[in-house]
Amino acid sequence: MSGIIGKKIGMTSVFSADGRNVACTLIEAGPCVVTQVKNEETDGYTAVQLGYGERKDKRTTKALKGHFAKAKTTPKQQIVEFRDFRVEFEGGVELGQTLSVADIFQEEDFVDVIANSKGKGFQGVVKRHNFGGVGQATHGQHNRLRAPGSIGGASYPARVFKGMRMAGRTGNDRVKVTNLQVMKIIPEKNLILVSGSVPGPKNGTVILEK
């Protein structure tokens, strides 16, 4: 699929053509530089690697400096590979080429957005797995309202089954939200407006796929 790398700006709302007020997310998508083009002969599959955002030269390894020098571009903060880039780009994507959001998407397209969700830290079972808790506040209940309850049997099976829903670190997971509609594109500012919400905090890196 084809796609582009971007940064989440925030949320707003717009009115659609039929008068509905639609919640939207504003994303700064691109411009991205083609840092590598892979093909069947040399790599075993076809893909295009894009770079986005500037990286400080002193924080770039020599290996990456050489990689970016081949594309005749400055070091980039994010590198993402898109396999089987769109057919109309076949043979038209060159090393060092700059791609903008208008090159990839059009209004009313449907896109998938990938990002890391907000980290919540160590959370209990009520917040993490939507447990109901004990459900009573009387009849001898003492500080057990949000407790997980029993986690297994007794002498048999004498263990806790794998996958048991328990408290633990929550959030900061790679999440894909599918079928968000492109409401508007502002090419001169590299902005794209998609319907619905997108994972992650403001200024977080997102990947848009088509």
Side-chain angles (χ1 to χ4, degrees):
M1 75 287 290
S2 57
I4 201 167
I5 317 166
K7 180 174 68 174
K8 178 178 174 179
I9 302 298
M11 292 196 71
T12 183
S13 62
V14 296
F15 285 97
S16 61
D18 56 358
R20 293 183 301 114
N21 190 11
V22 182
C24 300
T25 303
L26 187 65
I27 299 171
E28 181 189 87
C32 293
V33 178
V34 178
T35 53
Q36 190 175 2
V37 179
K38 296 189 176 184
N39 53 52
E40 290 279 356
E41 292 75 26
T42 57
D43 305 288
Y45 64 99
T46 58
V48 172
Q49 185 189 87
L50 300 181
Y52 171 76
E54 296 301 319
R55 180 198 293 260
K56 289 184 178 179
D57 193 63
K58 68 177 183 179
R59 294 189 178 181
T60 307
T61 62
K62 286 186 178 180
L64 277 178
K65 285 179 182 178
H67 182 71
F68 291 122
K70 287 182 181 178
K72 297 180 181 178
T73 184
T74 56
K76 300 300 177 186
Q77 187 70 37
Q78 304 290 337
I79 301 175
V80 178
E81 190 175 281
F82 296 90
R83 293 192 65 161
D84 301 322
F85 215 63
R86 209 166 69 196
V87 177
E88 49 262 47
F89 279 107
E90 189 66 36
V93 175
E94 298 178 353
L95 200 62
Q97 180 181 346
T98 300
L99 297 177
S100 65
V101 62
D103 296 330
I104 313 292
F105 303 111
Q106 297 176 351
E107 291 185 12
E108 298 187 0
D109 282 348
F110 286 90
V111 300
D112 299 341
V113 180
I114 304 171
N116 274 16
S117 60
K118 289 182 180 179
K120 305 290 184 182
F122 194 100
Q123 298 296 330
V125 291
V126 173
K127 185 178 180 74
R128 193 182 191 206
H129 297 297
N130 300 314
F131 278 22
V134 171
Q136 295 174 342
T138 182
H139 293 292
Q141 193 275 114
H142 177 69
N143 293 340
R144 307 296 297 161
L145 191 63
R146 300 173 70 88
S150 172
I151 61 169
S155 58
Y156 179 82
R159 63 190 178 92
V160 177
F161 290 117
K162 288 184 178 180
M164 179 66 62
R165 293 180 298 168
M166 300 172 76
R169 188 190 61 78
T170 309
N172 195 28
D173 294 316
R174 184 181 169 96
V175 179
K176 176 187 276 193
V177 180
T178 59
N179 293 328
L180 301 183
Q181 189 172 17
V182 177
M183 304 299 292
K184 191 172 184 180
I185 293 176
I186 309 173
E188 61 272 13
K189 294 185 178 180
N190 298 310
L191 295 177
I192 182 172
L193 199 65
V194 298
S195 63
S197 59
V198 166
K202 292 178 182 178
N203 297 319
T205 300
V206 298
I207 301 169
L208 287 84
E209 292 181 344
K210 184 175 180 181

